[in-house]
């Protein structure tokens, strides 16, 4: 009698983490508020004219490597026009400057994609660095909506006894400061009309993690770019995929273009966004990446001879410039 061989594997014994393809670099060619688009095509032309020299310099530095370009449209806080009106002007202005955009994303997708909230995934991954001497009186950001890098930040009042004289003022002290402190408190979310509203800094931190391919929901990648072949665009942002992959002039097939996710990101922004991006860095400094996802990214990088810094925040870079 021949007994059949049966292998039994407990599904939860081997967690499955979806692997995402990665470019060497994700280069963001700008991030404008919706109000900026109200200035018309001339605003976009000035923007891309200012970006072009930096783009050319960076592409020369990464010659022979896979570099994808992207642009984030901020339609989370206001929607003055829809994708059918805005995106053609955006692409036309970029092309006039000699730039090609591979991926366009909408910022509201950093809040919700289908039934998944990338912003909530990030919030749940934040592990605040406790300040030296902290007494536990400061609630975590999941409850307070605030994150700090300092002792005596976020409404610290210290411990005082009843009828005790008012405590003397003490300055904030940055955690791990070298000599002098730079104290920062960042608001991650608040509530508007009873509904959760994410801050620009928090959504921008999500945007960085999406570009690094480091966010997962139940092991699956949170975002999958969808092809846009040049047909009609929807009039409503909610009807546009979270990230669309645009045809590159002269490219034989869209799938041959550099992947949306990358080992590193570099963002070209105007200096008015610098405080938001500093807040993004503070958030990422206190974010714990799923160990399986982090190990997978490291494995991919080693296989390609790419050296990755262990800290997520060191994988993102910025160039700040101003319009001419």
């Amino acid at each position: 009698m021949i007994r059949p061989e049966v292998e039994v594997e407990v599904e939860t014994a081997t967690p499955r983490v979806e692997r995402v393809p990665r470019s060497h670099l994700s280069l963001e060619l700008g991030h404008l508020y919706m109000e900026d688009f109200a200035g018309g095509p001339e605003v976009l032309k000035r923007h891309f004219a200012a970006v072009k020299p930096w783009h050319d310099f960076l592409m020369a530095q990464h010659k022979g490597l896979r570099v994808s370009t992207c642009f984030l449209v901020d339609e989370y806080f206001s929607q003055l026009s829809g994708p059918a009106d805005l995106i053609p002007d955006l692409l036309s202005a970029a092309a006039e400057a000699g730039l090609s955009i591979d991926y366009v994303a909408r910022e509201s997708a950093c809040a919700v994609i289908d039934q998944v909230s990338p912003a909530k995934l990030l919030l749940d991954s934040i592990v605040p660095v406790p300040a030296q001497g902290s007494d536990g009186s400061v609630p975590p950001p999941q409850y307070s909506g605030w994150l700090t890098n300092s002792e005596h930040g976020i409404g610290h009042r210290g411990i005082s006894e009843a009828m005790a004289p008012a405590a003397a003022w003490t300055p904030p002290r940055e955690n791990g400061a070298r000599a002098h402190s730079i104290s920062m408190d960042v608001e991650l979310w608040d509530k508007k009309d009873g509904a959760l509203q994410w801050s620009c800094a928090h959504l921008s931190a999500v945007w960085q993690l999406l570009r690094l391919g480091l966010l997962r929901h139940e092991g699956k990648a949170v975002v999958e770019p969808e092809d846009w072949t040049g047909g009609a665009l929807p009039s409503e942002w909610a009807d546009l995929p979270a990230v669309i992959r645009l045809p590159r002039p002269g490219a034989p097939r869209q799938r041959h273009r550099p992947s949306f996710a990358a080992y590193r990101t570099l963002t070209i922004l105007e200096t008015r966004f610098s405080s938001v991006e500093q807040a993004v860095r503070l958030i990422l400094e206190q974010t714990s990446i799923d160990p399986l996802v982090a190990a997978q990214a490291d494995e991919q990088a080693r296989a390609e001879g790419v050296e990755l810094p262990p800290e997520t925040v060191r994988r993102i870079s910025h160039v700040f410039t101003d319009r001419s």
Side-chain angles (χ1 to χ4, degrees), residues 32 37 44 48 71 73 86-95 101 104:
L32 298 176
F37 290 99
L44 295 174
F48 286 119
F71 195 98
V73 177
L86 190 149
I87 291 181
D89 287 345
L90 179 72
L91 300 181
S92 176
I101 301 176
V104 171

Side-chain angles (χ1 to χ4, degrees), residues 133-209:
S134 58
D135 54 17
S137 61
V138 177
Q142 287 80 4
Y143 294 93
S144 68
W146 286 86
L147 187 66
T148 186
N149 69 343
S150 304
E151 179 186 0
H152 294 180
I154 309 181
H156 177 87
R157 293 292 182 271
I159 300 175
S160 58
E161 299 178 357
M163 305 302 291
W169 177 84
T170 57
R173 178 71 178 172
E174 179 185 358
N175 301 331
R178 295 187 61 184
H180 297 85
S181 294
I182 300 176
S183 180
M184 178 182 292
D185 296 340
V186 177
E187 188 171 22
L188 307 180
W189 57 267
D190 63 1
K191 287 190 175 180
K192 183 178 182 181
D193 300 328
L196 203 65
Q197 180 173 252
W198 302 102
S199 70
C200 185
H202 189 79
L203 294 178
S204 293
V206 171
W207 173 233
Q208 291 286 350
L209 292 179

Side-chain angles (χ1 to χ4, degrees), residues 209-231:
L209 292 179
L210 292 177
R211 292 165 64 197
L212 290 170
L214 294 177
L215 275 185
R216 297 290 187 281
H217 174 66
E218 297 179 347
K220 296 183 178 179
V222 173
V223 64
E224 176 67 30
E226 297 185 25
D227 287 338
W228 179 67
T229 57

Side-chain angles (χ1 to χ4, degrees), residues 5-315:
E5 295 183 359
V6 179
E7 291 186 3
V8 178
E9 183 178 17
V10 179
E11 188 173 353
T12 55
T14 55
R16 296 178 179 176
V17 175
E18 187 172 279
R19 181 185 295 263
V20 298
R22 283 183 168 84
S23 299
H24 289 92
L25 179 70
S26 166
L27 176 58
E28 186 177 7
L29 300 178
H31 173 173
L32 298 176
Y33 294 130
M34 186 60 73
E35 293 77 12
D36 297 319
F37 290 99
E42 290 304 316
V43 172
L44 295 174
K45 291 178 182 178
R46 288 199 300 272
H47 170 78
F48 286 119
V51 166
K52 182 65 163 57
W54 291 104
H55 165 274
D56 291 350
F57 171 77
L58 295 166
M59 294 299 281
Q61 297 295 309
H62 294 79
K63 190 174 182 180
L65 301 179
R66 302 187 303 277
V67 179
S68 62
T69 58
C70 59
F71 195 98
L72 180 68
V73 177
D74 178 6
E75 37 67 74
Y76 179 75
F77 294 98
S78 61
Q79 298 186 4
L80 302 179
S81 60
D85 295 325
L86 190 149
I87 291 181
D89 287 345
L90 179 72
L91 300 181
S92 176
E96 186 170 319
L99 298 170
S100 176
I101 301 176
D102 295 321
Y103 300 92
V104 171
R106 52 183 176 86
E107 188 165 9
S108 60
C110 296
V112 178
I113 301 176
D114 297 328
Q115 302 301 315
V116 178
S117 172
K120 183 66 166 53
L121 292 176
L122 170 58
L123 182 65
D124 291 342
S125 301
I126 293 175
V127 182
V129 177
Q132 184 176 2
S134 58
D135 54 17
S137 61
V138 177
Q142 287 80 4
Y143 294 93
S144 68
W146 286 86
L147 187 66
T148 186
N149 69 343
S150 304
E151 179 186 0
H152 294 180
I154 309 181
H156 177 87
R157 293 292 182 271
I159 300 175
S160 58
E161 299 178 357
M163 305 302 291
W169 177 84
T170 57
R173 178 71 178 172
E174 179 185 358
N175 301 331
R178 295 187 61 184
H180 297 85
S181 294
I182 300 176
S183 180
M184 178 182 292
D185 296 340
V186 177
E187 188 171 22
L188 307 180
W189 57 267
D190 63 1
K191 287 190 175 180
K192 183 178 182 181
D193 300 328
L196 203 65
Q197 180 173 252
W198 302 102
S199 70
C200 185
H202 189 79
L203 294 178
S204 293
V206 171
W207 173 233
Q208 291 286 350
L209 292 179
L210 292 177
R211 292 165 64 197
L212 290 170
L214 294 177
L215 275 185
R216 297 290 187 281
H217 174 66
E218 297 179 347
K220 296 183 178 179
V222 173
V223 64
E224 176 67 30
E226 297 185 25
D227 287 338
W228 179 67
T229 57
L233 288 161
S235 58
E236 302 294 333
W237 287 101
D239 296 329
L240 190 74
V243 179
I244 58 173
R245 180 166 40 213
L246 301 165
R248 177 177 284 188
R253 296 177 60 185
Q254 294 197 53
R255 292 180 181 176
H256 289 173
R257 286 172 301 149
S259 300
F260 169 71
Y263 294 118
R264 293 175 182 267
T265 70
L266 198 154
T267 300
I268 305 173
L269 288 174
E270 297 175 19
T271 52
R272 61 188 165 122
F273 293 98
S274 60
S275 60
V276 172
E277 295 304 313
Q278 186 57 48
V280 168
R281 300 187 71 87
L282 187 150
I283 294 170
L284 295 183
E285 285 173 351
Q286 302 186 49
T287 297
S288 175
I289 301 299
D290 184 325
L292 293 176
V293 178
Q296 190 181 76
D298 291 342
E299 179 185 342
Q300 285 180 268
R302 284 196 301 272
E304 292 202 89
V306 174
E307 185 175 348
L308 278 183
E311 302 90 349
T312 304
V313 70
R314 291 179 55 202
R315 302 179 189 181

